[in-house]
Amino acid sequence: KLLCVSRLSHRFCVELLALCKDEIKKSKDIQKLRSSISVFCGLIQFPGDVRKKVLFQLMLLLCHPFPVVRKTTASQVYEMLLTYDDVIDLAVLDDVMALLSDINWESDLATVRTHRNQLCDLLGIQKPTVVTKGPAP
């Protein structure tokens, strides 16, 4: 029975993650983006693949075009790591927390991206890449 419940909750998490990702794709709605950050931070408590996907989404949001979204993400990830102490390796916890709290996440994207990539390295997460649009056909 427990295995069944675990599978159901895992499937629910995967579906909720996918719905949130779709909902905020190209969104300019600050409240919707902030709400999704909260959902992602709540989903972090589920280990495995879901956690990796959630961390990746949060790293994407740390380089969002809107500075307020970047700042909110950094703040909520900081609080999330205080709440869920099994999310990252304790060996890198201090460095991660220092980056999240000491960086001005409202500064220019090039600067922010460098710090976000440092976080990705510390967390063992693939760095998101910048998608450049080619010339229109």
Side-chain angles (χ1 to χ4, degrees), residues 26 56 60 113 116 128-134:
K26 298 182 181 175
F56 185 79
L60 282 174
R113 191 171 290 115
R116 188 273 318 267
T129 54
V130 178
V131 177
T132 54
K133 296 178 182 161

Side-chain angles (χ1 to χ4, degrees), residues 9-79:
S9 66
H10 182 264
R11 190 170 71 218
F12 170 77
C13 294
V14 170
E15 290 174 12
L16 183 57
L17 176 63
L19 288 170
C20 284
K21 280 172 56 176
D22 286 346
E23 195 62 35
I24 64 169
K25 189 181 278 185
K26 298 182 181 175
S27 177
K28 294 182 186 332
D29 182 338
I30 299 293
Q31 192 52 50
K32 188 183 286 189
L33 289 159
R34 283 184 166 169
S35 296
S36 72
I37 295 164
S38 296
V39 172
F40 293 147
C41 287
L43 287 173
I44 204 71
Q45 65 189 293
F46 299 96
D49 199 38
V50 170
R51 182 174 288 173
K52 288 178 189 163
K53 289 178 179 180
V54 166
L55 282 170
F56 185 79
Q57 284 304 306
L58 290 167
M59 293 301 110
L60 282 174
L61 287 164
L62 281 175
C63 282
H64 193 276
F66 296 161
V68 67
V69 171
R70 298 194 300 260
K71 184 176 180 178
T72 300
T73 302
S75 174
Q76 288 199 22
V77 169
Y78 185 94
E79 291 174 19

